[in-house]
Amino acid sequence: MLDRREELTPMLSQYLELCEAHPDALVLFQVGDFYEAFCEAAETVARVCEVTLTKREDSTGTYPMAGIPIDNAASYLESLLDAEYRVAIADQVEDAEEASGLVDRAVTNVVSPGTVVDDELLDRASATYLGAVVGLGRDGGRDGGRAGESTDATDAEAALATLDVSTGECQVTSASAARIDDELERLAPAELLVAPDAGVEPSMLGFETMLTEHDPEAFALDRADETLAAYVAEPTAVLDSPTERRAVGALLDYAEYTQGDDGALSYVSRVRRYDLRRSLRLDATAMRSLELFDSRHPGRGETLLDALDRTACAPGRRKLESWLRRPLLDRERIERRHDAVAELLDRPMARETVRDHLEQVYDLERLAARVSRERANARDLRSLQTTLDVVPDVRAALEDAESDALCDLRASLDELADVRDLIEQAIEPDPPQEITEGGVVREGFDDELDEIRATEREGREWVASLEARERERTGIDSLEVGYNQVHGYYIEVTNPNLDRVPDDYTRRQTLKNAERFYTPELKRREDEILSAADRADSLEYEVFCEVRSRVADETERIQALADALARLDVLTSFAAVAAGENYVRPEMGAETLRIEAGRHPVVERTQAEFVPNGVDFTDGHVAVITGPNMSGKSTYMRQTALIALLAQAGSFVPADAARLPVIDRIFTRVGASDDIAGGQSTFMREMAELTDILHDATDDSLVLLDEVGRGTSTADGLAIARATTEFIHDEIGATTLFATHYHDLTALADDLPDAFNLHFTVSKSEDGDSPSDDGSESPSGPDVTFLHRVARGASSSSYGVEVAKLAGVPDRVVARAREHLRAPAGDDTDSEPAHARLPREGASPAEDASPAEDASHPPTRATNGEFDDPAADRNDTLAAYVDGLDATDDPDRPDAPGRPDDSHDAVPTDAAPTDAERAVLDELRDLDVARTTPLEALNTLEALRRQLDE
């Protein structure tokens, strides 16, 4: 087309101009009842939407062409959006019948992932955000700015503005680049505008979004202030941060461009600034780990949002999600919500009445936006009126409310009686979908319209009686009066009766078996009827637009009502969950976190039996948790975090009782994951998450750590895990749950005054031998039952082999693993290659064992049945020295050698112990094993090992 610009037909020239005006979008061009695309755009539409690729031929050439039906455009647009295309909709903006020459067309809407407004393309239950970010560079964002960050707007490095184009909700905040980075991932906008200085790349983001490079000038402060002035009387007074004004100004500029409106979007009535310091901080890692909104197993698991959602209307569902994304930090506001939930819980009749009425509420937020954008039809107005009809009933149900929150909500439930009455008087109860073809405005609302309709009605009544009169006058019983859009009104006479046609009949149309006529009076009446009908339809459309405009003038009131109904819906949902799931009110403001018989709000709904467990941090703020795999350690930690989060969102919690401090942030380092595309292994990813925790956590934070250090060698991992625990204990002071298989860490409870041990209990039966499915003997060993109960103290084992057995690991492997656990230090069987030590088919482990040694596989020493001791060689030497200890070391020993030098035969000279090591050996020899508990033994061994290290 570009090559033939001067030769193109007027229509293709118009199409080309629109394409050049929207180079970032695929233009769909209305031609009659279809949206057409040409050339490369047509090939894209045909491929993505799976429609036929045709062609258009004219004197200038042949052009590929593909189209989609306007009536069913939404499904095709969804396919294009999923394929990450931005689509410009070019509609006919004048009536084709009235156009002189080419019909004028203009882009009325640019559809992109963040600017969707069509109900068929929107998720009813979730907000769709368009975002704009300023100042979020790589150096200041993900790679730096963590330690000592500030969230003061005046010191802010970055700003994030978001807009839900479908509702007009516009918010902006500013903070350090790191904090804005977290907020960005928490909100996950569907589309993100990036300022020229933002430095954001797709690989930097932990969520899927469309990155859009909007006009750089829109981010300039002067231009942004000019845009904002149409929404905020004094931009600098409302938003004193230049970065915030730049972000929200560019955001609104782009929104205006995509909606095809001239000037400001009137339904964006308020631009709100929010402070990140007023809500509990949740980063993307915590949201994924806790499964707040997305399951780690898509399609197979519920989320916290699913477990709490008893909302009755779409605004309530979106408000619930918003409250879970931003739990409160203000204790007074938290307790106001708890007061409301408690009252609704205690008044089930009032609660159910409110829920029943809220189920009749339409999506007021999106209705208000459509009305304001002049895109609402008559059915939308009727839906608005239906919603307003229930408001008096909701207010009546709350008439006896006592809690401050419910009283305030009742006061804010504006009945909008004037709007309700206007729609009731003006709009037909069951109007048609189209607003230009009549049947929309009620009779009696507009006098002029009623008069025109009366004229039309009288004319049609005259025509309706004409047939009977003409039959009587002519004596032609088969005579009929009809109408079609081409020829208008006619009198039809069959051929055998043509000789009886009166002289005042004028022929209008000849058919095969009949002739059609009209009379002067019929023609006059036809002109009156058609003229009246056209005038009525035109006037009716004008009246409807005037009504819609009057309703749009009350957009702010409608939006305020929608917000109040949404908040009431969430509080009612919280109360319904509390009643149905036996949740209790948490006591806020405690110095330490204490939960009695806590439960996981999601897992308890999916498991037939769930074992409640409590936690009490009265004796310290660091809990080291040990126990078998599959015993429930991760669930236990997550439920503690979810209980704290629910409480601060305003909900009751799944427990018998809960006394909770106000948490400023929840950190999670749970589960293994990697980022191969980003160049991060599982261990590197783990260390990156740990870095964030150690930099950002405070003494008001809740930290969940699971298996820190397991992705590297035992020695390195244990060192990292211990140092991490000590740092959190000594330097941060955060309330911490640390699950680990490093049993050495349990000794920290003796070394650190604010650390204590918890473990998950098991039931063990020693008579585990039974035939396996193939008839061979089952591997010997205990049968273990996980009780999923938490108790004080450390676990004696992780029961890894038992878990392997339960998972279905072959019996030969399980048997050999148990041999390794039982084998004493220096056992010859431990020196064999792994492939040589598996039992033969049909042979017992003992029969198949080989005494052969392999110098390439030196003996390994099992410590606590879990990992190799890096000091095994040195400990083996010292153990050997005990047997050869000379008489000077222990003169009372019955088998002591006669000469001190005899000891040199038992142990190399260079391995003779120091005085300190002799003290360790003496203590080890004097240990009364028979009377030592497993926990005391572990603690003693750890103390002795530490002495040796020193």
Side-chain angles (χ1 to χ4, degrees):
M1 287 186 178
L2 289 171
D3 293 339
R4 306 167 184 168
R5 178 189 294 274
E6 302 302 326
E7 306 171 5
L8 292 176
T9 63
M11 190 183 78
L12 290 185
S13 293
Q14 190 181 56
Y15 176 77
L16 180 58
E17 290 173 3
L18 293 174
C19 287
E20 290 180 318
H22 298 82
D24 59 342
L26 189 155
V27 175
L28 292 181
F29 188 77
Q30 183 182 1
V31 180
D33 295 331
F34 281 80
Y35 285 128
E36 302 285 0
F38 301 94
C39 299
E40 294 89 343
E43 295 169 355
T44 299
V45 170
R47 183 184 71 254
V48 175
C49 298
E50 298 182 358
V51 296
T52 302
L53 180 67
T54 60
K55 59 185 178 181
R56 173 187 171 87
E57 294 186 44
D58 59 34
S59 60
T60 65
T62 302
Y63 307 94
M65 182 174 74
I68 61 175
I70 292 177
D71 289 344
N72 192 30
S75 60
Y76 298 104
L77 288 175
E78 185 174 13
S79 297
L80 292 168
L81 292 177
D82 288 344
E84 299 186 349
Y85 286 97
R86 186 178 287 105
V87 182
I89 305 296
D91 287 309
Q92 295 178 180
V93 292
E94 68 174 332
D95 193 327
E97 295 181 359
E98 297 179 0
S100 56
L102 180 66
V103 177
D104 191 20
R105 297 175 178 86
V107 170
T108 58
N109 189 18
V110 176
V111 184
S112 62
T115 62
V116 174
V117 294
D118 191 324
D119 278 350
E120 295 182 59
L121 298 176
L122 286 168
D123 183 348
R124 170 184 176 274
S126 298
T128 299
Y129 288 117
L130 171 68
V133 65
V134 172
L136 187 63
R138 178 179 290 273
D139 294 338
R142 294 180 171 273
D143 297 343
R146 291 284 181 190
E149 65 175 61
S150 168
T151 55
D152 192 329
T154 58
D155 299 327
E157 304 169 23
L160 171 65
T162 57
L163 172 66
D164 185 341
V165 179
S166 69
T167 66
E169 176 196 7
C170 184
Q171 301 185 89
V172 62
T173 189
S174 57
S176 69
R179 188 70 191 269
I180 290 298
D181 188 45
D182 286 342
E183 181 69 2
L184 187 60
E185 294 207 18
R186 174 160 65 169
L187 295 177
E191 183 177 2
L192 185 64
L193 309 182
V194 292
D197 61 346
V200 177
E201 299 293 337
S203 60
M204 298 169 58
L205 302 174
F207 59 94
E208 293 185 3
T209 187
M210 173 183 278
L211 290 183
T212 297
E213 294 183 1
H214 187 47
D215 180 7
E217 290 299 318
F219 288 93
L221 186 57
D222 291 344
R223 167 87 169 271
D225 284 343
E226 182 180 343
T227 302
L228 265 174
Y231 299 87
V232 179
E234 297 184 21
T236 56
V238 177
L239 303 174
D240 59 352
S241 166
T243 54
E244 290 178 353
R245 301 206 303 276
R246 290 178 59 206
V248 75
L251 180 79
L252 293 170
D253 183 89
Y254 178 73
E256 291 173 6
Y257 157 73
T258 62
Q259 297 311 298
D261 292 336
D262 295 328
L265 304 176
S266 58
Y267 66 101
V268 182
S269 56
R270 284 175 288 184
V271 176
R272 293 186 178 91
R273 183 189 182 279
Y274 66 99
D275 191 338
L276 290 173
R277 293 169 297 181
R278 298 185 63 185
S279 60
L280 186 152
R281 186 173 173 185
L282 286 167
D283 60 19
T285 300
M287 288 194 298
R288 284 193 298 268
S289 177
L290 298 177
E291 297 182 286
L292 301 186
F293 311 108
D294 298 294
S295 172
R296 287 173 295 151
H297 307 287
R300 295 191 292 122
E302 282 194 342
T303 65
L304 180 67
L305 182 60
D306 296 328
L308 291 182
D309 186 13
R310 304 286 194 281
T311 55
C313 61
R317 173 59 161 70
R318 294 195 294 269
K319 184 66 71 175
L320 171 61
E321 181 177 346
S322 175
W323 281 13
L324 292 179
R325 287 188 186 277
R326 293 198 186 104
L328 301 172
L329 289 182
D330 187 309
R331 177 182 170 185
E332 182 179 344
R333 294 179 65 198
I334 295 170
E335 292 182 337
R336 276 173 56 90
R337 290 183 183 177
H338 290 166
D339 289 341
V341 175
E343 183 172 351
L344 290 168
L345 182 62
D346 292 340
R347 299 177 57 198
M349 291 297 293
R351 181 179 74 242
E352 292 306 315
T353 299
V354 169
R355 281 174 53 80
D356 289 344
H357 291 313
L358 290 177
E359 287 178 350
Q360 303 175 52
V361 169
Y362 285 83
D363 197 337
L364 270 189
E365 293 173 320
R366 290 177 177 169
L367 278 175
R370 286 203 295 276
V371 170
S372 181
R373 292 199 311 272
E374 298 182 355
R375 296 181 183 179
N377 58 30
R379 292 184 181 179
D380 289 330
L381 292 188
R382 268 294 177 177
S383 296
L384 174 58
Q385 185 227 325
T386 299
T387 299
L388 297 180
D389 284 343
V390 307
V391 176
D393 296 328
V394 175
R395 286 178 56 89
L398 298 176
E399 187 172 1
D400 297 328
E402 297 178 357
S403 65
D404 291 343
L406 291 182
C407 289
D408 290 347
L409 279 175
R410 185 180 185 279
S412 61
L413 291 176
D414 185 350
E415 297 182 12
L416 282 98
D418 52 341
V419 175
R420 185 179 72 240
D421 292 344
L422 172 63
I423 298 173
E424 172 65 27
Q425 295 166 10
I427 307 301
E428 288 285 350
D430 186 20
Q433 185 76 26
E434 295 296 326
I435 58 176
T436 58
E437 298 177 3
V440 170
V441 177
R442 296 187 78 162
E443 187 172 353
F445 182 73
D446 184 274
D447 293 340
E448 182 181 358
L449 179 60
D450 289 345
E451 185 177 338
I452 297 174
R453 281 175 170 171
T455 301
E456 179 187 1
R457 185 167 53 251
E458 290 172 2
R460 294 185 187 279
E461 290 173 353
W462 184 90
V463 170
S465 64
L466 177 64
E467 184 173 298
R469 293 198 307 273
E470 289 301 302
R471 283 183 178 183
E472 182 179 355
R473 182 165 76 97
T474 62
I476 304 173
D477 294 337
S478 62
L479 180 148
E480 295 180 352
V481 174
Y483 173 83
N484 67 37
Q485 291 183 337
V486 176
H487 296 97
Y489 286 101
Y490 58 82
I491 302 171
E492 184 175 297
V493 179
T494 57
N495 289 341
N497 296 302
L498 291 178
D499 58 341
R500 301 163 69 183
V501 170
D503 293 338
D504 61 341
Y505 279 27
T506 302
R507 182 176 284 105
R508 170 160 274 181
Q509 184 183 9
T510 300
L511 303 179
K512 181 178 180 181
N513 298 315
E515 295 282 346
R516 289 177 175 174
F517 304 89
Y518 68 90
T519 66
E521 181 63 14
L522 177 61
K523 177 62 176 172
R524 186 179 69 79
R525 292 284 187 172
E526 176 185 315
D527 292 341
E528 286 182 359
I529 293 170
L530 296 182
S531 175
D534 288 343
R535 288 164 55 207
D537 288 347
S538 177
L539 180 57
E540 189 168 0
Y541 178 71
E542 292 178 10
V543 171
F544 171 79
C545 290
E546 174 62 25
V547 171
R548 185 173 60 186
S549 178
R550 290 169 61 184
V551 174
D553 291 340
E554 307 302 330
T555 295
E556 286 193 50
R557 292 172 62 196
I558 298 172
Q559 290 174 329
L561 173 63
D563 182 69
L565 290 173
R567 285 184 285 140
L568 178 60
D569 196 11
V570 178
L571 293 172
T572 306
S573 178
F574 283 162
V577 172
E581 307 295 336
N582 195 29
Y583 284 17
V584 299
R585 177 173 183 164
E587 180 183 336
M588 302 304 299
E591 292 186 3
T592 57
L593 187 150
R594 295 179 61 188
I595 298 171
E596 295 179 18
R599 311 187 305 276
H600 193 293
V602 179
V603 177
E604 73 166 343
R605 287 162 50 89
T606 59
Q607 299 294 326
E609 295 182 1
F610 186 87
V611 179
N613 280 296
V615 63
D616 187 347
F617 283 93
T618 303
D619 296 333
H621 62 83
V622 177
V624 178
I625 308 171
T626 51
N629 287 306
M630 297 174 57
S631 61
K633 296 190 298 296
S634 295
T635 297
Y636 174 66
M637 293 196 300
R638 288 188 174 104
Q639 81 182 31
T640 303
L642 290 175
I643 287 172
L645 185 151
L646 285 177
Q648 291 182 216
S651 172
F652 282 16
V653 299
D656 286 354
R659 298 181 69 249
L660 306 173
V662 176
I663 302 298
D664 68 354
R665 183 167 179 181
I666 295 175
F667 293 90
T668 62
R669 160 76 289 283
V670 179
S673 62
D674 56 31
D675 181 12
I676 301 303
Q680 289 189 329
S681 65
T682 299
F683 182 67
M684 178 60 77
R685 183 74 173 263
E686 175 185 327
M687 291 299 100
E689 293 174 0
L690 183 61
T691 297
D692 291 345
I693 295 172
L694 299 182
H695 275 300
D696 292 351
T698 71
D699 58 356
D700 290 326
S701 300
L702 176 62
V703 177
L704 311 184
L705 298 175
D706 189 11
E707 299 302 338
V708 168
R710 296 296 289 181
T712 184
S713 71
T714 298
D716 287 352
L718 179 57
I720 291 171
R722 186 181 182 101
T724 296
T725 308
E726 292 171 343
F727 184 81
I728 291 175
H729 179 279
D730 298 339
E731 302 295 331
I732 299 177
T735 300
T736 304
L737 293 164
F738 192 156
T740 182
H741 284 295
Y742 289 135
H743 288 267
D744 300 58
L745 290 181
T746 59
L748 288 170
D750 294 330
D751 299 339
L752 304 177
D754 287 323
F756 59 98
N757 289 318
L758 297 174
H759 74 281
F760 275 78
T761 57
V762 300
S763 174
K764 183 170 64 174
S765 172
E766 294 297 339
D767 54 349
D769 291 339
S770 60
S772 61
D773 292 339
D774 60 4
S776 61
E777 285 294 308
S778 174
S780 61
D783 286 335
V784 173
T785 302
F786 302 125
L787 302 180
H788 306 293
R789 292 197 178 279
V790 177
R792 283 278 183 166
S795 174
S796 60
S797 173
S798 288
Y799 297 96
V801 176
E802 284 68 31
V803 173
K805 177 183 175 182
L806 290 174
V809 171
D811 290 350
R812 295 172 62 203
V813 176
V814 173
R816 183 56 185 165
R818 287 205 171 107
E819 284 185 38
H820 279 301
L821 288 178
R822 291 194 300 267
D827 190 341
D828 289 342
T829 60
D830 279 349
S831 63
E832 292 182 306
H835 63 81
R837 296 196 293 268
L838 291 175
R840 298 187 307 274
E841 287 291 342
S844 67
E847 291 172 342
D848 196 64
S850 171
E853 293 189 5
D854 185 345
S856 66
H857 293 78
T860 60
R861 182 179 182 88
T863 301
N864 203 29
E866 286 299 313
F867 49 82
D868 294 342
D869 187 346
D873 293 343
R874 176 64 173 166
N875 290 343
D876 285 343
T877 303
L878 293 175
Y881 187 85
V882 174
D883 293 333
L885 202 61
D886 59 33
T888 58
D889 293 320
D890 188 358
D892 297 327
R893 184 175 172 182
D895 58 344
R899 301 187 316 278
D901 291 342
D902 288 348
S903 64
H904 298 168
D905 297 331
V907 69
T909 304
D910 60 356
T914 64
D915 291 341
E917 289 172 337
R918 284 192 179 94
V920 171
L921 292 170
D922 289 342
E923 186 174 348
L924 180 63
R925 185 180 59 235
D926 294 338
L927 182 65
D928 187 353
V929 177
R931 298 187 178 185
T932 303
T933 67
L935 179 58
E936 290 172 342
L938 287 171
N939 291 337
T940 300
L941 287 173
E942 173 60 15
L944 293 175
R945 189 178 68 81
R946 192 160 54 249
Q947 291 180 47
L948 287 175
D949 290 342
E950 292 170 353

